[in-house]
Amino acid sequence: MTIATKPRQPELKTALPGPSTKAIIERDAQHLSTSYMRPYPFVPDHGEGVWLTDVDGNTMLDFFAGIAVSTTGHAHPHVVKGVQDQITKFTHVCLTDYPQEITTSLAERLVRHVERPGEKWRVFFGNSGAEAVEAAVKLARNHTGRTHIISTMGSFHGRTYGAITLTGSKTKYKRGFGPLLPAVSHVPYPNPFRPPLGSTPETCGQAVIDHIESLFVGVIPADEVAAIIIEPMQGEGGYIIPPADFLPKLRALCDRHGIMLIFDEVQAGMGRSGKMFSFQHFFEHGDVQPDMITVAKGIASGMPISALLAKESVMTWPVGSHGSTYGGNPVAAAAAHATLDLLEGVVKHPDCGDNLMDNASQVGDYIMAELKKMQTQFPFLGDIRGKGLFIGLEFVKPDGSPDGALRDRASMAMFEKGLLNLDCGEAVIRISPPLILTREEAETGLEIMRQALSELK
Ligand SMILES: Cc1ncc(COP(=O)(O)O)c(C=O)c1O
């Protein structure tokens, strides 16, 4: 494996944006969809590991991994080889109609990370996170014969009609697009930093459970609820970790009422939190086994594939009732196998210990500890939270309210110093780098953050 792991620094050869970047941004603004966002002027040319070089030759450290997607970094030799080997065999035949060993073995491999003794799971493959979410909702309704779906405030589940209906983070995703899916309700997410429903950081989990139970008394008949869908660690809403007792209590609530529990692991899953699935951090606090799991993003290091994992007892939809032309594409499946090789440690990545999940834990712990030190220096860092390489920094005003404007300035200052980063929530910067990030590379990024934050006055 030839990927470079030697210490490097960002190399800025032009003022940002450089001339080639500017020219492409101008053409992009002429011809691409008006819906695309452009948080800062960056146009990639090529990448290697945790480094991305723009079209002007400026090399930046990647702390956002294409929104938590590039698990193994850019152009990882093992992933490149997997893709090249498969593309010379066949690119497409259509999994909906014909089995393919590469997807059969991928499904076998994925369910091994969730099956408990005596339990069997099955997999439906799609192309994007939203498709996995749509599949989960369709399956929940089809299996239970019920219609209502409960989701959470602050959530993000994708851009298709069902997925935007479930999403609870920003009204701009919905404005002007209605009517949306009927029979969907939103409940607060238990955010210990901003506890909802008059609760405290310690009681916010129970408060949300009590709130759902109260809805079942006066608002929604529980026996009409097909599923509760939730991100076990909330991504776009602000990289929020719920209190330890919440997910076991939610599982118990679903059991009491015969409701399917769907964990959307699209952003926090696939090793990013230091475990394969983020809900697995809560095992020691009780039963948290969901009925379905959606995964995408990090599953194939950037190749488009998603998966809905469901208990065999739940995946009861009839032959032909759901499918996809491209879903489970063999080239993307090859990239998923290569990504899993590195996540599981079947193939080792230099300087990243036994496997990329352990590396995410260790480097993530280091970043969290350093950020907590920075918090004492910068009082506008209201909260530092996360697990593994799923970390959020929340910016606050002196009165403790979210400071989105300061967050935006911080994000731009970091970019201008060569650190690619991305916002989320109302006033949060997320740290979601490739899971191959070494401690030295983390320190380089932290030093850029220190410098950028010290310029914010
Ligand atoms: C938790 C979660 N679910 C679903 C999605 C939608 O994924 P996609 O953009 O691949 O459709 C996202 C995307 O950010 C997500 O974070």
Side-chain angles (χ1 to χ4, degrees):
M1 201 171 298
T2 55
I3 200 155
T5 57
K6 61 184 182 312
R8 276 170 85 171
Q9 292 292 325
E11 268 180 67
L12 301 183
K13 296 188 171 156
T14 69
L16 297 176
S20 303
T21 299
K22 265 194 206 153
I24 293 172
I25 288 174
E26 274 162 28
R27 284 166 52 208
D28 174 270
Q30 291 297 316
H31 301 290
L32 276 90
S33 167
T34 50
S35 62
Y36 289 140
M37 296 176 292
R38 300 287 183 252
Y40 45 69
F42 178 71
V43 178
D45 179 74
H46 62 274
E48 184 189 23
V50 296
W51 300 92
L52 269 174
T53 303
D54 77 6
V55 287
D56 291 292
N58 298 305
T59 299
M60 324 273 279
L61 178 55
D62 182 0
F63 259 31
F64 88 108
I67 321 191
V69 168
S70 312
T71 306
T72 58
H74 303 284
H76 195 288
H78 185 61
V79 178
V80 170
K81 182 167 186 321
V83 166
Q84 283 173 338
D85 287 352
Q86 177 57 39
I87 212 161
T88 57
K89 291 185 188 162
F90 70 102
T91 307
H92 173 78
V93 172
C94 190
L95 180 65
T96 302
D97 290 338
Y98 304 99
Q100 300 162 20
E101 198 285 332
I102 198 158
T103 31
T104 307
S105 52
L106 182 59
E108 289 165 350
R109 226 172 151 175
L110 286 169
V111 297
R112 273 206 291 276
H113 289 278
V114 65
E115 278 175 353
R116 299 183 299 191
E119 214 177 56
K120 195 166 170 303
W121 283 61
R122 290 178 177 273
V123 182
F124 172 84
F125 286 108
N127 303 283
S128 66
E131 278 179 63
V133 167
E134 295 290 336
V137 170
K138 285 178 70 175
L139 179 59
R141 284 183 164 177
N142 190 272
H143 176 70
T144 60
R146 303 173 175 191
T147 49
H148 212 102
I149 310 286
I150 293 177
S151 182
T152 55
M153 320 264 285
S155 63
F156 187 84
H157 297 289
R159 306 290 196 147
T160 50
Y161 262 102
I164 53 168
T165 313
L166 300 171
T167 290
S169 51
K170 293 192 177 93
T171 48
K172 71 176 176 189
Y173 301 139
K174 306 187 183 197
R175 184 170 293 112
F177 291 123
L180 305 180
L181 204 67
V184 172
S185 303
H186 291 83
V187 298
Y189 193 88
N191 176 355
F193 186 60
R194 299 193 182 280
L197 302 162
S199 63
T200 65
E202 294 71 35
T203 62
C204 63
Q206 184 63 50
V208 171
I209 298 294
D210 293 345
H211 176 71
I212 300 173
E213 288 287 10
S214 75
L215 291 180
F216 292 163
V217 175
V219 186
I220 311 164
D223 59 5
E224 292 184 8
V225 178
I228 296 181
I229 181 165
I230 189 163
E231 295 160 85
M233 295 185 186
Q234 200 174 63
E236 301 297 314
Y239 273 42
I240 300 164
I241 315 296
D245 64 337
F246 175 65
L247 293 177
K249 286 179 170 161
L250 190 64
R251 174 69 273 179
L253 177 143
C254 287
D255 289 342
R256 278 196 294 281
H257 299 287
I259 295 169
M260 299 285 103
L261 180 58
I262 305 168
F263 283 160
D264 184 344
E265 291 272 356
V266 166
Q267 187 144 177
M270 298 313 296
R272 173 151 301 282
S273 72
K275 294 192 187 287
M276 184 56 79
F277 300 117
S278 66
F279 77 85
Q280 294 169 332
H281 284 277
F282 301 97
F283 274 162
E284 63 203 66
H285 305 285
D287 183 16
V288 288
Q289 188 79 337
D291 300 294
M292 299 183 215
I293 302 170
T294 53
V295 288
K297 285 194 185 284
I299 186 173
S301 297
M303 291 295 282
I305 185 167
S306 66
L308 166 66
L309 281 56
K311 284 180 183 161
E312 180 172 65
S313 56
V314 168
M315 199 174 264
T316 50
W317 48 16
V319 172
S321 59
H322 195 54
S324 161
T325 298
Y326 293 124
N329 171 273
V331 182
H337 271 292
T339 302
L340 277 167
D341 286 344
L342 287 145
L343 280 172
E344 293 169 346
V346 176
V347 171
K348 306 255 186 276
H349 181 83
D351 300 336
C352 285
D354 278 349
N355 63 61
L356 294 191
M357 287 190 275
D358 287 354
N359 189 62
S361 282
Q362 284 157 20
V363 179
D365 284 352
Y366 170 68
I367 294 178
M368 285 278 288
E370 291 300 308
L371 287 173
K372 294 227 177 223
K373 285 186 211 158
M374 273 191 229
Q375 215 182 352
T376 58
Q377 199 185 340
F378 304 113
F380 51 76
L381 291 181
D383 194 29
I384 307 292
R385 54 194 179 229
K387 292 254 185 237
L389 289 171
F390 181 95
I391 298 173
L393 291 71
E394 180 156 342
F395 290 71
V396 295
K397 295 181 183 159
D399 67 1
S401 59
D403 196 342
L406 190 67
R407 182 274 315 276
D408 291 348
R409 283 174 51 214
S411 169
M412 186 57 86
M414 291 174 196
F415 165 71
E416 283 167 352
K417 293 181 187 312
L419 187 70
L420 297 171
N421 66 92
L422 194 65
D423 64 355
C424 63
E426 218 179 317
V428 178
I429 288 183
R430 68 184 108 189
I431 298 182
S432 59
L435 308 190
I436 58 166
L437 189 79
T438 62
R439 195 180 154 121
E440 292 70 30
E441 290 161 341
E443 179 45 37
T444 301
L446 285 162
E447 186 48 36
I448 297 174
M449 293 173 87
R450 262 182 225 113
Q451 287 172 17
L453 295 177
S454 60
E455 286 169 13
L456 295 180
K457 284 280 164 345

